[in-house]
Amino acid sequence: MSKSFNISIIGSGNVAWHLAQELEKQGHTIREVFSRNLAHAEELAAQLYCAQAQNHLDFTKSEARIFFIAVSDAAIEQIARHIQLPAKAILAHTSGSQSLEKLTAAPTQKTGVFYPLQTFSKGKPVKFKEIPICIESEDPKTEQQLLAVAETLSDNIALVDSEARKVLHVAAVFACNFTNHMLGIAQEILEEQEMDFDLLKPLIKETVNKSLRIGPKNAQTGPAKRGDLTTLDAHMEYLQGREDWLRIYKLISEHIMNEI
Amino acid sequence: MSKSFNISIIGSGNVAWHLAQELEKQGHTIREVFSRNLAHAEELAAQLYCAQAQNHLDFTKSEARIFFIAVSDAAIEQIARHIQLPAKAILAHTSGSQSLEKLTAAPTQKTGVFYPLQTFSKGKPVKFKEIPICIESEDPKTEQQLLAVAETLSDNIALVDSEARKVLHVAAVFACNFTNHMLGIAQEILEEQEMDFDLLKPLIKETVNKSLRIGPKNAQTGPAKRGDLTTLDAHMEYLQGREDWLRIYKLISEHIMNEI
């Protein structure tokens, strides 16, 4: 049987929103929700069983023993510096791009990272069981406690230190941010000619599914992959009026060709 | 009630494979399957009710009145030049990147394009109803017939001329080929550090779903979008050893930043 914990959540954004509710769903108790804006804290607390909303960082009287910082990356260090915790409390941030060191100023040695590797939107339910949760701590007991919490949420848990998390973040920029930007350019190319981006959506879905199923290297298609210079030339001629798109088209096509 | 047609398929690759079977599922009859390699034609014919496999292009005695060319782009013009058809037959190719003109040498004026905008793999079933089918013909009666066939397969039919199809193809290179390549780079970045690409898969799936749901412009996130120079610098430093990845990282990040 899995253990249940008393937990407080620092933050009220997308990650805080989903994490707090999922933790309660798995039997844990959320004691406090912090936001600088009390109304935001209250909004999330209203979704929970008995959580108190607060807009100050004094948790010395909290019954919670685990504190998750789920705020914007830039605010993590300030929170760690100013938070007041009960004795022996664990403090973990939930960011993929921030090192464990950002918690150095915290009033506890029991620090860690508890990073659910997913993008969250408030209105959209997520399947936590499938989300990888990346855990890091230099204190073995803290690591063990964070693993115990993670195991109640997900089937997919990994110990990932700050250095590896940075690699993961660089990879995610390519796989997610840049991928999204490619979709954005495609949409603009179509809308410039008053064509509907919807036409491409079934193809995009299947392309990504296939890429994840058989691996991107096996799934690569297109004129650059085929070395089809006639089509590449025709496309570059079409893109003449947009130097920025043309440069991206050339650079990525060349990169694909050089990998053949 | 939808009309059913006698149809022959020139080709035995992925598109031919799925198209032929779906046409029969919707009540049409496939009369012949052509491949230069008779064994390939036979393999597909074996999946159909009464289709004959053949490796020559003489269809003068065929009962089919619609002939779909589903071969590699480079072979379309040769097929059109050498095919022999019964009187009044319609000849349409199924390629997204080839113009209608490629059929000029065909022994019929009733030419067209019948382009299912999807990527097909032999083992993988597809939901034809959701696949956009792009139709083009300069002959109104041919266009009407091709539309009638398309309507039996899909709920998503568009009249798209060769010029618009070219725009669609350029957009698809960004949205699909380049997107896949970004996933490929992400995989390499991880594997270089012996990390598992699987970790990123749930995030990639949700990122793409979100992008298609709310639109790529609204969905854009990441350090470039935030103008987070500290993270951008850290990532570029990490990529120092790989000049090719670094150039792609810089160019796309700058492009995202300039769009803010």
Side-chain angles (χ1 to χ4, degrees):
Chain A
M1 223 186 72
S2 62
K3 218 181 146 186
S4 74
F5 294 91
N6 285 300
I7 298 172
S8 287
I9 304 285
I10 320 301
S12 60
N14 289 331
V15 175
W17 189 263
H18 283 282
L19 182 59
Q21 295 185 66
E22 185 69 20
L23 285 166
E24 286 210 336
K25 217 164 123 189
Q26 300 308 328
H28 308 290
T29 305
I30 307 298
R31 291 294 171 181
E32 289 93 14
V33 173
F34 162 88
S35 170
R36 275 187 302 187
N37 182 324
L38 191 61
H40 292 170
E42 279 167 348
E43 204 190 332
L44 173 50
Q47 307 294 319
L48 304 168
Y49 293 113
C50 62
Q52 296 294 312
Q54 68 179 58
N55 62 354
H56 60 83
L57 286 166
D58 181 356
F59 292 95
T60 44
K61 292 190 182 129
S62 174
E63 289 186 52
R65 289 301 171 265
I66 299 179
F67 295 78
F68 285 127
I69 303 181
V71 300
S72 65
D73 286 350
I76 293 173
E77 227 169 339
Q78 285 298 315
I79 299 277
R81 197 176 305 280
H82 296 294
I83 198 168
Q84 295 176 273
L85 295 171
K88 296 186 185 171
I90 288 175
L91 182 67
H93 77 64
T94 58
S95 167
S97 61
Q98 301 298 304
S99 69
L100 177 56
E101 280 179 16
K102 297 276 158 145
L103 302 181
T104 307
T108 174
Q109 302 293 308
K110 301 166 85 64
T111 58
V113 179
F114 186 98
Y115 168 44
L117 214 175
Q118 184 52 285
T119 174
F120 297 95
S121 318
K122 257 182 196 167
K124 176 107 198 307
V126 286
K127 287 180 194 152
F128 252 89
K129 281 278 169 246
E130 296 166 10
I131 299 177
I133 298 184
C134 303
I135 300 290
E136 175 182 10
S137 178
E138 285 171 358
D139 173 45
K141 243 185 132 177
T142 302
E143 180 184 291
Q144 190 190 322
Q145 301 266 70
L146 292 176
L147 284 172
V149 178
E151 274 161 14
T152 64
L153 300 183
S154 170
D155 294 330
N156 194 353
I157 301 178
L159 287 171
V160 179
D161 66 20
S162 292
E163 191 53 35
R165 215 147 24 75
K166 186 173 163 183
V167 178
L168 207 49
H169 195 222
V170 175
V173 167
F174 280 91
C176 299
N177 304 155
F178 290 178
T179 283
N180 182 75
H181 191 61
M182 294 300 120
L183 300 180
I185 293 175
Q187 182 176 28
E188 279 194 67
I189 289 172
L190 291 174
E191 289 182 349
E192 208 184 53
Q193 300 298 321
E194 284 164 24
M195 293 172 72
D196 194 345
F197 184 52
D198 282 356
L199 269 178
L200 276 187
K201 287 182 178 176
L203 180 61
I204 293 166
K205 275 185 208 167
E206 179 55 21
T207 300
V208 172
N209 285 341
K210 194 173 183 171
S211 183
L212 297 183
R213 202 170 60 244
I214 68 174
K217 264 158 250 167
N218 301 322
Q220 189 65 54
T221 59
K225 173 70 183 176
R226 289 194 307 274
D228 174 354
L229 298 176
T230 313
T231 300
L232 288 168
D233 282 344
H235 287 182
M236 289 192 283
E237 202 191 310
Y238 179 77
L239 293 169
Q240 281 301 337
R242 280 293 300 256
E243 194 59 37
D244 55 335
W245 292 345
L246 185 59
R247 278 175 65 197
I248 292 173
Y249 188 94
K250 273 186 187 166
L251 185 63
I252 302 181
S253 293
E254 278 165 16
H255 199 248
I256 294 172
M257 291 181 85
N258 289 335
E259 289 201 338
I260 290 176
Chain B
M1 226 185 68
S2 62
K3 219 181 144 185
S4 74
F5 294 90
N6 285 298
I7 298 171
S8 287
I9 304 285
I10 321 300
S12 59
N14 289 333
V15 175
W17 188 263
H18 284 282
L19 182 60
Q21 294 185 68
E22 185 69 20
L23 285 165
E24 285 209 338
K25 217 163 124 189
Q26 300 308 329
H28 308 289
T29 305
I30 307 297
R31 292 295 173 180
E32 289 94 15
V33 173
F34 163 88
S35 171
R36 274 187 301 186
N37 181 324
L38 191 61
H40 293 168
E42 279 166 350
E43 203 190 333
L44 173 51
Q47 307 293 320
L48 304 168
Y49 293 113
C50 61
Q52 296 295 312
Q54 67 179 58
N55 62 354
H56 59 83
L57 285 166
D58 181 355
F59 292 94
T60 44
K61 290 189 182 129
S62 173
E63 287 185 53
R65 289 301 171 266
I66 299 179
F67 294 78
F68 285 126
I69 303 180
V71 299
S72 65
D73 286 350
I76 293 173
E77 226 169 339
Q78 286 297 316
I79 299 278
R81 198 177 303 278
H82 295 294
I83 197 168
Q84 294 176 276
L85 296 170
K88 295 184 184 172
I90 289 175
L91 181 69
H93 77 63
T94 59
S95 166
S97 62
Q98 300 299 305
S99 70
L100 177 56
E101 279 178 17
K102 296 277 158 143
L103 302 181
T104 307
T108 174
Q109 301 293 308
K110 300 165 87 62
T111 57
V113 178
F114 186 98
Y115 168 44
L117 213 175
Q118 185 53 285
T119 175
F120 298 94
S121 318
K122 257 183 196 167
K124 176 107 197 309
V126 286
K127 288 180 192 152
F128 252 91
K129 280 280 170 247
E130 296 167 10
I131 299 177
I133 298 183
C134 304
I135 299 291
E136 175 182 10
S137 178
E138 284 170 358
D139 172 45
K141 243 185 132 176
T142 301
E143 179 183 292
Q144 191 191 322
Q145 302 264 69
L146 292 175
L147 284 172
V149 178
E151 275 161 15
T152 65
L153 301 183
S154 169
D155 293 331
N156 194 355
I157 301 176
L159 287 170
V160 179
D161 65 21
S162 292
E163 191 53 35
R165 214 147 24 75
K166 186 173 163 184
V167 178
L168 207 50
H169 195 224
V170 175
V173 168
F174 280 91
C176 300
N177 303 156
F178 290 177
T179 284
N180 182 75
H181 191 60
M182 294 300 119
L183 300 181
I185 293 175
Q187 181 175 28
E188 280 193 65
I189 288 172
L190 292 175
E191 289 181 348
E192 208 185 52
Q193 300 298 321
E194 284 165 26
M195 295 174 69
D196 194 345
F197 184 52
D198 282 357
L199 269 178
L200 275 187
K201 286 183 178 176
L203 180 61
I204 293 166
K205 274 185 208 167
E206 179 55 21
T207 299
V208 172
N209 285 340
K210 195 174 185 172
S211 184
L212 298 183
R213 203 169 59 242
I214 68 175
K217 263 159 251 167
N218 301 322
Q220 189 66 53
T221 58
K225 174 70 183 177
R226 289 195 307 274
D228 174 354
L229 298 177
T230 312
T231 301
L232 288 168
D233 282 345
H235 287 182
M236 289 191 286
E237 202 191 310
Y238 179 77
L239 294 170
Q240 281 302 335
R242 280 294 299 254
E243 193 58 39
D244 55 334
W245 292 345
L246 185 59
R247 279 174 67 197
I248 292 173
Y249 188 93
K250 273 186 185 166
L251 185 63
I252 302 182
S253 293
E254 278 165 16
H255 199 248
I256 293 172
M257 291 181 85
N258 289 334
E259 287 200 339
I260 290 175

